[in-house]
Amino acid sequence: MTTVPLAPVSTEIRQANRVSPFRLARAELRWIFRRPRTLVVLGMLALIPVVLGVSLTLVDSNNAPNGAQDGPGGGVLSAAAGNAFVLPIAALVVTLQLLLPLAAAMAGADAIAGEAANGTLRGWLLAPVSRGRLLAVKAFGVATVTVCAAGLMAITGFVTGLIINGPGAMFTLSGDTLSIWDTLGRVGLATAWVVLQLWAVGAVALAISTCTEHPMLVVVSVLAGTIVFQVLSMLSAVSWLHPFLLNKSWEAIPDILRDPIPSGGLTEGAVRAVCYIVIALSLAYARITTRDG
């Protein structure tokens, strides 16, 4: 009886497992940005600061800078009228309540559940590529979408503010005038902080996505959880639960508009988001390593 040599097969498997991660990442990004819904969502998010800036200018706000002291919600919006620094951050504040989490949830849902529904995930699971590498590539794709979503809003918001108000209309809520470089640094800080929060939302969506083949179920679950968290954060009866709610520190973004910047709420929110990312990706890894093709 002739024995079939196994060495060549093992060599092929080892070579397949050594596929460059950059090649896998490029393939994932091509797949993501070929989806029409991804491009539509990013385009709509990029237009929101423009619409917001034009609307605030038309509606006017003669006392916009002073109105900023009223609160983190309407105050930031009123301050955005006539202030090129506040506009991009105000746009992030408004959309972080629902639209930006929706974009992150859609990216997480499409990453695994969407491909499972289309039948393309089976090829990944049957291929000689480790499940951990597969999850890392999908997590990278979700993170890229969140960076694009928040980054586009910040860029269009800043440019819109400059066009409408000019480079001289950049000042903090404390009344200090900022240079264009200081403004860019603070807008970048706000964008990075929002991206971290969206990474956490996307990681949760990715974890749920590994448990189902219905991407819409993932989106609905994440959005429902976001709304429930918002309701719970307003109930003093469950104040013991507030430190565990992801959106507990989302209202801290306007702190970047002050001088000096209060770091307590921002730091707490960043640490909480990192904990969510670690836990969610750990659960996703545990599930995907036991998932059948």
Side-chain angles (χ1 to χ4, degrees):
M1 181 177 66
T2 304
T3 303
V4 179
L6 298 179
V9 178
S10 300
T11 301
E12 290 180 2
I13 293 177
R14 286 196 299 269
Q15 290 176 349
N17 278 319
R18 287 199 298 266
V19 174
S20 170
F22 298 103
R23 181 179 176 184
L24 295 175
R26 286 198 304 269
E28 179 67 12
L29 292 181
R30 283 197 300 268
W31 179 254
I32 289 174
F33 291 106
R34 284 178 180 175
R35 296 187 189 120
R37 58 179 171 274
T38 300
L39 300 178
V40 169
V41 169
L42 292 178
M44 292 179 63
L45 289 174
L47 285 176
I48 288 177
V50 179
V51 175
L52 185 61
V54 173
S55 300
L56 290 174
T57 301
L58 293 178
V59 170
D60 163 60
S61 190
N62 292 326
N63 51 4
N66 298 328
Q69 309 297 331
D70 297 337
V76 172
L77 282 178
S78 63
N83 193 331
F85 168 45
V86 178
L87 180 59
I89 298 180
L92 292 173
V93 170
V94 172
T95 53
L96 186 58
Q97 303 305 314
L98 184 63
L99 295 181
L100 283 175
L102 173 61
M106 288 179 57
D110 285 334
I112 295 182
E115 291 203 23
N118 294 330
T120 55
L121 183 64
R122 181 176 295 272
W124 278 94
L125 296 178
L126 295 180
V129 177
S130 68
R131 303 295 177 88
R133 178 175 294 189
L134 167 62
L135 180 62
V137 170
K138 296 301 182 182
F140 170 75
V142 174
T144 301
V145 172
T146 62
V147 171
C148 291
L152 284 173
M153 291 194 66
I155 293 172
T156 57
F158 183 71
V159 172
T160 301
L162 285 179
I163 293 175
I164 294 177
N165 304 304
M170 294 181 289
F171 40 85
T172 66
L173 298 187
S174 304
D176 299 321
T177 302
L178 298 176
S179 68
I180 189 169
W181 298 112
D182 290 336
T183 300
L184 286 173
R186 293 204 183 201
V187 172
L189 176 61
T191 304
W193 194 86
V194 169
V195 165
L196 187 60
Q197 306 304 311
L198 296 180
W199 281 358
V201 175
V204 172
L206 199 60
I208 300 175
S209 188
T210 60
C211 301
T212 180
E213 296 183 356
H214 304 285
M216 186 57 65
L217 178 61
V218 179
V219 175
V220 171
S221 299
V222 173
L223 290 185
T226 301
I227 295 173
V228 170
F229 277 22
Q230 291 176 354
V231 173
L232 291 177
S233 64
M234 295 185 294
L235 300 178
S236 57
V238 291
S239 58
W240 58 271
L241 189 60
H242 291 175
F244 302 98
L245 302 179
L246 176 60
N247 63 337
K248 177 63 173 64
S249 299
W250 285 2
E251 60 186 21
I253 310 178
D255 288 345
I256 298 177
L257 301 172
R258 308 185 187 282
D259 194 19
I261 300 176
S263 59
L266 296 172
T267 302
E268 179 184 346
V271 172
R272 186 181 294 111
V274 170
C275 292
Y276 266 83
I277 292 172
V278 172
I279 295 173
L281 291 183
S282 298
L283 293 175
Y285 178 77
R287 175 67 183 98
I288 202 169
T289 52
T290 59
R291 181 167 182 159
D292 297 330

